[in-house]
Amino acid sequence: MVAAPVPVFDGHNDTLLKLELGAGTPRERSFLERAPRDHIDLPRARAGGFAGGLFAMYVPSRLGEDMNLRYDPQDPANFAEVQQPAALAFTLRMAARAFRLEREAAGDVSICRDVQAIRTAMDAGSLAMVLHVEGAEAIDPDFVALEVLHAAGLRSLGPVWSRSNIFGHGAPMTCPASPDSGPGLTDTGRELVRACNRLKIMIDLSHLTEKGFWDVASLSDRPLVASHSNAHAVCPSARNLTDRQLDAIAESGGLAGLNFHVAFLRPDGGHRSDTALDVMVRHMDHMIARLGEDGVALGSDFDGCLVPRAITDVAGLPVLLQAFRDAGYGEELIEKIAWKNWLSVLERTWA
């Protein structure tokens, strides 16, 4: 039997992108109504105990096409660089969609800019949405767009996705492979880290090469956070974190969020929805061993990945938490994984 839903604050989803790409097409859907596809809408969120999370604004290389194309590591067109004016325009469309959604939801969705707002939303049963940029192509080298987006509500940023930009280089989605797969931050990328620290924007290490990870670690005065990355020791994908990286996150008082994408979970890197939940428990066990119970969380990548069939969508979150219970995790640890650790690291990052 699956227990009643525990509130979940999740570190990463691509729902705003899915909604924007679907607008005006046969795949258009309302976030406020239950849909038969994709991963997150408000009714399914409530069914699964999904209380909120970081909502990514990601600009695909192939705008106007199915975003899942981006996961094909054999097609370089899915990883082509994106120019800043086009990236900013599309990012603003996703931000505007979030603001319109907040208005239309009439209190059922809240865009949150600090942890107290997240707590207030969760207490009121309003979905807490934090705006995040995944891949900083929208940001100009003078950081004008960064200032404006921050004023609008941006509170988290990943310098790169799995491609290069003016700030650095992303790790490829290959397995088996080392995350030490290319150069790190550029000089402009180092300035971006400093600018984010000044503005108290969380820097997300997911997608960075290992050299980029260490560049951020040497520059940032905030906890190190990888919002949706797994253990390289369990699944040797270039997108996952080595034990040395996990140890550095722990030393900084940071956090890593478990990614639900099957190719970042399975030891063979396979794209198979019949992936068993015990491999997710294996990742979490390993991450707890390196990060401690206060350094682990969830970073589902909902609406941007292939999740295990046993979970299916956001309504299936209680199934994963039950798998943790079945593995011997106590309720205090489950609450830390589900939401408490995210709120703690955000509070310390934004203070």
Side-chain angles (χ1 to χ4, degrees), residues 251-265:
E251 186 176 348
S252 76
L255 173 152
L258 179 71
N259 191 315
F260 294 10
H261 183 42
V262 295
F264 305 150
L265 291 168

Side-chain angles (χ1 to χ4, degrees), residues 155-204:
R155 291 297 180 269
S156 176
L157 177 145
V160 299
W161 181 69
S162 290
R163 62 190 172 206
S164 298
N165 61 28
I166 64 170
F167 303 110
H169 306 273
M173 299 188 188
T174 50
C175 183
S178 168
D180 187 11
S181 55
L185 297 180
T186 64
D187 289 342
T188 307
R190 293 181 177 89
E191 288 303 315
L192 176 64
V193 171
R194 296 185 181 101
C196 287
N197 278 178
R198 287 194 298 271
L199 292 170
K200 299 176 183 177
I201 296 172
M202 188 184 80
I203 300 163
D204 185 3

Side-chain angles (χ1 to χ4, degrees), residues 9-12 54 202-206 213 222-230 241 245-259 284 287 290-299 335-349:
F9 187 91
D10 180 56
H12 190 88
L54 274 66
M202 188 184 80
I203 300 163
D204 185 3
L205 298 163
S206 291
F213 176 102
R222 302 286 161 166
L224 300 177
V225 173
S227 70
H228 57 304
S229 296
N230 296 335
L241 299 165
Q245 288 174 298
L246 292 171
D247 292 346
I249 291 171
E251 186 176 348
S252 76
L255 173 152
L258 179 71
N259 191 315
M284 188 58 73
M287 291 161 71
R290 309 303 299 207
L291 296 165
E293 293 189 358
D294 296 331
V296 289
L298 302 179
E335 286 194 341
K336 286 183 176 183
I337 293 169
W339 65 275
K340 288 184 175 179
N341 286 346
W342 262 122
L343 269 59
S344 174
V345 79
L346 291 176
E347 198 160 41
R348 289 179 282 117
T349 298

